[in-house]
Amino acid sequence: MNHLAYLDAGSGSLIVQAVVGGVAGAAVAAKLYWRRLVDRFRRQPTDRG
């Protein structure tokens, strides 16, 4: 069975924009929540007084 597929320039551009937008969205989300993530794994100072 022979399957033929055609992607014109508009379809390729849409796919590239979706990938770039997803990466940019993930970067913004990581920047916003980076402090919460780091604080969760950071050791708390102990009181030795």
Side-chain angles (χ1 to χ4, degrees):
M1 187 173 271
N2 194 6
H3 295 285
L4 299 176
Y6 173 72
L7 288 176
D8 63 350
S11 298
S13 175
L14 182 68
I15 292 169
V16 169
Q17 286 179 5
V19 169
V20 170
V23 169
V28 168
K31 184 177 187 241
L32 289 174
Y33 293 108
W34 180 253
R35 180 64 59 196
R36 286 186 194 173
L37 184 66
V38 169
D39 287 343
R40 187 174 295 241
F41 295 107
R42 185 174 293 171
R43 276 198 256 166
Q44 299 297 324
T46 58
D47 272 340
R48 292 186 184 190

